[in-house]
Amino acid sequence: MLKRKNTRAIKVGTVGVGGDNPVRVQSMTNVDTRDVAAASAQVAELARAGCEIVRLAVPDEQAAASLAAIREASPVPLIADIHFDHRLALMALEAGIDGLRINPGNIGGEAKVDTVVRAAAERAAPIRIGVNSGSVEKDLLARYGGPTPQAMVESALGHVGMLERRGFYDIKISLKSSSVLHTIEAYRLLSDRVDYPLHIGVTEAGTLLPGAVKSAVGLGVLLFQGIGDTLRVSLTHDPVAEIGVAYEILRSLGLRQRGPEVISCPTCGRTEIGLIALAEEVQKRLRDVPEVFKVAVMGCVVNGPGEAREADIGIAGGRGSGIVFRKGEVVRKIRGEENLLPEFMKELDLFLAELRAR
């Protein structure tokens, strides 16, 4: 088991972050926050996939005015993402938002920081300080020769100091770069200097495949070293996909489990069915299932059940037929490749019903 760094515990709505709480999975909507119906629908979809905290962009007063209705319908805590305009932060807090993502040094001066911090404290709303490599102050860029990990850390500590001087400590911090190595180093340096919970992520990671790989490497290294209390996998893709990748990263490190683990063989010259499409469809249909168990989709009737003996339920196919097995024991035969998916899904439904009845 990995040993996580003991950080300060805070609450984002009803969700505990840091301390003894599990690593939390976050994402962000990518629809217009001013569209209450669309934003609420996406928040609900993310929650069904296992997202525990959702962030929304608040670019103007119309978006801020929409937050109350979105928050009322939301099954999970919401974070308002604010840049530069302290009035939007105040409107978000008034709307019942559960937390802010804001850099206090960028909202217009000491008096405005006072106002926002006081309002956040009154509502027990934590503030996430979010430093990206593109948001580092010019003087730090000049001193460090660019948005280095050291510059990012100094930037974050400057914002933290503004909150601490006002007696505000419900703080979460993120340091994100599109560079995996810079991200890892920045979080390492910051983790040595503060005990606030850290929200980890590789920003601008890219489309589904490269983004998942960069996130898995960067976040995996940090989590293995005990760093990270919440995470977001940033993908140029449907944000629901971010949740699946996040849980697979956590599962691979033994930190958290959610939903079925689908294992499948990589195909070879013995494969005689459309295994890739079959495995992808099984994965898709199980996306919203929260129960934890192992499913195998194998392309070889001869070796499949033995190689996937530890799977709770699995299918192996070959030349127009297939078998369903549980823990390596054959329980059913299927004829016709076109019947493999529908018949296996029937067996999966039966398995789930038995699992839920225990």
Side-chain angles (χ1 to χ4, degrees):
M1 295 295 293
L2 303 184
K3 182 175 176 57
R4 288 173 56 207
K5 177 180 176 178
N6 186 27
T7 55
R8 183 190 301 258
I10 64 172
K11 276 290 195 71
V12 181
T14 58
V15 174
V17 171
D20 295 329
N21 293 290
V23 179
R24 299 297 188 181
V25 174
Q26 294 190 208
S27 186
M28 186 175 185
T29 57
N30 64 0
V31 298
D32 191 338
T33 306
R34 293 166 291 198
D35 186 336
V36 172
S40 296
Q42 192 168 64
V43 168
E45 186 180 16
L46 286 165
R48 285 194 299 272
C51 187
E52 295 165 296
I53 302 171
V54 178
R55 180 162 52 111
L56 299 97
V58 185
D60 55 30
E61 291 187 10
Q62 187 181 350
S66 300
L67 292 176
I70 299 170
R71 181 65 197 91
E72 184 177 359
S74 176
V76 294
L78 302 180
I79 304 290
D81 190 89
I82 310 289
H83 291 278
F84 307 119
D85 192 340
H86 83 291
R87 296 171 302 170
L88 300 179
L90 296 176
M91 289 182 66
L93 291 168
E94 185 66 28
I97 207 74
D98 299 286
L100 299 174
R101 190 276 197 185
I102 190 168
N103 289 341
N106 297 337
I107 59 172
E110 298 287 336
K112 293 176 181 177
V113 175
D114 288 341
T115 304
V116 171
V117 170
R118 185 164 53 248
E122 289 172 355
R123 293 166 175 79
I127 294 175
R128 169 155 76 92
I129 292 168
V131 174
N132 287 351
S133 55
S135 67
V136 176
E137 294 84 349
K138 291 181 179 179
D139 62 319
L140 294 176
L141 293 176
R143 187 192 314 169
Y144 288 100
T148 64
Q150 294 80 4
M152 293 171 65
V153 170
E154 288 302 314
S155 177
L157 292 176
H159 294 297
V160 169
M162 296 184 73
L163 299 182
E164 290 179 334
R165 288 193 294 274
R166 291 165 171 82
F168 190 92
Y169 302 97
D170 285 341
I171 300 170
K172 184 168 59 167
I173 310 172
S174 66
L175 298 173
K176 295 185 179 181
S177 169
S178 58
S179 163
V180 171
L181 295 180
H182 278 197
T183 297
I184 292 170
E185 183 62 15
Y187 279 110
R188 280 176 175 167
L189 292 171
L190 184 64
S191 180
D192 288 339
R193 298 184 65 174
V194 301
D195 67 350
Y196 292 113
L198 301 183
H199 171 74
I200 60 175
V202 178
T203 194
E204 300 159 4
T207 54
L208 183 59
L209 179 58
V213 171
K214 290 173 71 173
S215 295
V217 173
L219 304 188
V221 169
L222 289 169
L223 291 166
F224 186 78
Q225 295 178 348
I227 298 171
D229 300 283
T230 68
L231 64 83
R232 180 193 176 190
V233 173
S234 298
L235 301 176
T236 310
H237 204 272
D238 182 343
V240 172
E242 298 179 355
I243 310 305
V245 176
Y247 276 106
E248 288 303 320
I249 293 170
L250 293 171
R251 191 201 303 268
S252 69
L253 293 168
L255 289 170
R256 293 191 70 178
Q257 294 191 73
R258 185 191 184 278
E261 178 183 6
V262 178
I263 63 173
S264 56
C265 61
T267 74
C268 69
R270 290 190 296 271
T271 306
E272 297 177 305
I273 61 169
L275 182 67
I276 296 173
L278 178 62
E280 288 178 345
E281 188 61 29
V282 170
Q283 181 87 56
K284 178 181 176 181
R285 296 196 185 193
L286 291 173
R287 187 181 71 180
D288 293 338
V289 174
E291 286 83 6
V292 176
F293 56 96
K294 184 175 289 189
V295 180
V297 183
M298 309 297 287
C300 179
V301 173
V302 176
N303 295 326
E307 293 177 356
R309 186 176 301 278
E310 297 308 310
D312 295 288
I313 184 170
I315 184 170
R319 192 169 295 183
S321 65
I323 56 173
V324 178
F325 54 92
R326 294 193 186 191
K327 294 293 186 181
E329 299 296 326
V330 178
V331 296
R332 185 178 173 189
K333 295 182 180 180
I334 302 172
R335 296 296 179 188
E337 183 171 347
E338 71 280 5
N339 296 320
L340 293 180
L341 178 63
E343 294 302 315
F344 183 53
M345 292 311 300
K346 290 179 184 178
E347 289 293 329
L348 267 173
D349 289 340
L350 177 62
F351 172 82
L352 268 173
E354 294 172 1
L355 184 65
R356 290 165 178 169
R358 292 176 188 170

